[in-house]
Amino acid sequence: YREVWLDIREQSCIQDLYVTTPTLTRMQVQITADCDDGCICRAELVDAEGEIRCSVTGGRELTLEYPQARSWSLEDPYRYTCRVYLEKDGAVLDMQTVKTGFRTFGFTKNGFFLNGKKTFLRGLNRHQCYPYVGYAAPERLQREDARILKEELGCVIVRTSHYPQSKHFIDECDKLGLLVFT
């Protein structure tokens, strides 16, 4: 497959990606893009080692099936990269990536279930305000907070405050196997 990149990369055509995993082997990708007719979308599922495991081409809603998918869990937070390309006439107009894992979850009258396994939720509330720094904490501190919650305090979930959290904190939680309730 030959990719041709156009020189208009400074303006992003893909506005949003919404990735869900309704099962432990299926990933659904919804793409919001600013592109006229004739554009197609292509999604690739790339494992942590950099290998493309599956690919699909179509419209703005794509489904990736990977029967050998490794599940994301609290003990083994394995993440994949979903790469989405917006193409027209054989040229790539835009490309976006998102890190994600295959996981299912839900509450029943019997408790919380992660990937079909009953899971006890032990966690804390978190505010992202620091003495002498305020809300402008650097990436290193955001990531360190997630590590402390997971490794030192033994939490499996964190409830965030009423304002958007740092993307670095959210990413580190996902990387460490820490659930986030926003």
Side-chain angles (χ1 to χ4, degrees), residues 59-132:
R60 301 289 198 273
E61 294 186 15
L62 302 171
T63 301
L64 294 157
E65 295 278 351
Y66 184 42
Q68 296 83 26
R70 186 168 156 187
S71 299
W72 181 99
S73 68
L74 301 174
E75 303 79 24
D76 182 26
Y78 191 85
R79 299 192 308 169
Y80 291 85
T81 299
C82 179
R83 284 195 296 229
V84 175
Y85 298 88
L86 185 66
E87 303 172 343
K88 184 172 183 177
D89 300 327
V92 175
L93 302 176
D94 197 5
M95 188 270 291
Q96 299 287 326
T97 63
V98 64
K99 290 277 191 182
T100 189
F102 283 90
R103 56 194 145 204
T104 60
F105 57 90
F107 286 95
T108 71
K109 64 180 180 177
N110 297 320
F112 176 76
F113 288 80
L114 178 64
N115 302 336
K117 177 183 164 192
K118 188 171 182 178
T119 304
F120 179 74
L121 297 177
R122 177 180 168 193
L124 296 169
N125 292 327
R126 176 189 189 253
H127 284 271
Q128 155 176 305
C129 184
Y130 303 91
Y132 310 110

Side-chain angles (χ1 to χ4, degrees), residues 5-172:
W5 291 89
L6 298 182
D7 292 331
I8 58 170
R9 295 282 300 160
E10 58 273 356
Q11 183 177 0
S12 180
C13 298
I14 298 174
Q15 299 164 342
D16 192 27
L17 295 177
Y18 183 65
V19 178
T20 58
T21 53
T23 72
L24 295 176
T25 60
R26 183 182 314 123
M27 182 177 292
Q28 293 179 323
V29 183
Q30 293 178 339
I31 301 128
T32 304
D34 184 21
C35 182
D36 58 5
D37 290 338
C39 289
I40 61 168
C41 296
R42 177 170 48 100
E44 296 175 340
L45 183 65
V46 182
D47 66 19
E49 292 73 38
E51 296 292 322
I52 297 173
R53 293 300 174 184
C54 60
S55 179
V56 65
T57 302
R60 301 289 198 273
E61 294 186 15
L62 302 171
T63 301
L64 294 157
E65 295 278 351
Y66 184 42
Q68 296 83 26
R70 186 168 156 187
S71 299
W72 181 99
S73 68
L74 301 174
E75 303 79 24
D76 182 26
Y78 191 85
R79 299 192 308 169
Y80 291 85
T81 299
C82 179
R83 284 195 296 229
V84 175
Y85 298 88
L86 185 66
E87 303 172 343
K88 184 172 183 177
D89 300 327
V92 175
L93 302 176
D94 197 5
M95 188 270 291
Q96 299 287 326
T97 63
V98 64
K99 290 277 191 182
T100 189
F102 283 90
R103 56 194 145 204
T104 60
F105 57 90
F107 286 95
T108 71
K109 64 180 180 177
N110 297 320
F112 176 76
F113 288 80
L114 178 64
N115 302 336
K117 177 183 164 192
K118 188 171 182 178
T119 304
F120 179 74
L121 297 177
R122 177 180 168 193
L124 296 169
N125 292 327
R126 176 189 189 253
H127 284 271
Q128 155 176 305
C129 184
Y130 303 91
Y132 310 110
V133 178
Y135 296 105
E139 177 181 346
R140 178 191 52 77
L141 186 55
Q142 298 289 348
R143 293 186 183 280
E144 178 66 6
D145 257 11
R147 188 199 64 75
I148 290 169
L149 287 166
K150 175 74 177 191
E151 296 175 6
E152 293 183 23
L153 300 177
C155 293
V156 298
I157 190 168
V158 59
R159 179 192 165 271
T160 63
S161 298
H162 47 83
Y163 43 81
Q165 299 292 298
S166 162
K167 66 181 178 182
H168 306 297
F169 174 75
I170 300 294
D171 180 65
E172 194 68 16

